[in-house]
Amino acid sequence: MDTQVLKVLAHLRRAKDLMDRNYDQPLDVPAMASKALMSPAHFSREFKRVYGETPYSYMLTRRIERAMHLLRSGVTVTDTCMQVGWSSLGSFSSRFTEVVGETPTAYRERAHQDSEQIPACIAKILLRPARF
């Protein structure tokens, strides 16, 4: 692989790691692009080309994924909303419902014992919310 391509991938990974660690913080494209040492427009294009989704979409999926985990663990919907970086319960609930297909309350109340039997490495893949 070309040295330049490897550099771009390394810079994108830095930004992706930032999103993975700080999914609960307000992050915008300029902040992520700065971490990747790119302009915001170039960062957005490269991120989508490499990871198949926009930085915003990735961040949203990451937050919903974490919210699903918290709700399965019995955390209240309000506490989950705040812990994953939303400041509005209404916005959180509507986005969660749009992505997962059921309200956060319904998801929390549903039985999740079957998913506890799945090895964590497989559960991470199977339980990841699909946005497309």
Side-chain angles (χ1 to χ4, degrees):
M1 217 183 261
D2 184 312
T3 309
Q4 187 62 25
V5 171
L6 292 174
K7 248 189 214 180
V8 168
L9 291 174
H11 292 313
L12 288 173
R13 265 194 311 276
R14 277 192 219 139
K16 188 172 179 272
D17 289 345
L18 175 70
M19 288 186 266
D20 287 339
R21 278 191 316 276
N22 299 318
Y23 63 86
D24 60 337
Q25 301 298 313
L27 287 173
D28 57 9
V29 171
M32 293 181 268
S34 173
K35 190 70 172 174
L37 305 175
M38 297 177 186
S39 72
H42 184 63
F43 169 72
S44 292
R45 280 190 306 274
E46 289 297 302
F47 191 94
K48 183 167 183 169
R49 184 179 65 79
V50 170
Y51 295 110
E53 60 185 321
T54 65
Y56 174 79
S57 178
Y58 179 80
M59 192 71 166
L60 177 64
T61 302
R62 190 71 186 94
R63 286 178 173 170
I64 295 293
E65 182 178 42
R66 181 64 182 154
M68 291 170 71
H69 171 75
L70 291 170
L71 292 168
R72 282 192 308 272
S73 301
V75 177
T76 67
V77 173
T78 303
D79 287 345
T80 296
C81 169
M82 298 304 154
Q83 286 183 39
V84 297
W86 260 279
S87 56
S88 162
L89 186 58
S91 296
F92 167 70
S93 293
S94 63
R95 282 304 224 184
F96 187 95
T97 303
E98 174 188 315
V99 173
V100 178
E102 63 185 316
T103 66
T105 302
Y107 184 83
R108 181 178 181 267
E109 292 172 354
R110 185 163 47 85
H112 296 281
Q113 294 89 338
D114 293 342
S115 63
E116 293 171 8
Q117 304 301 321
I118 304 170
C121 58
I122 303 298
K124 182 174 178 165
I125 296 166
L126 295 177
L127 298 175
R128 183 174 167 102
R131 297 222 347 114
F132 305 104

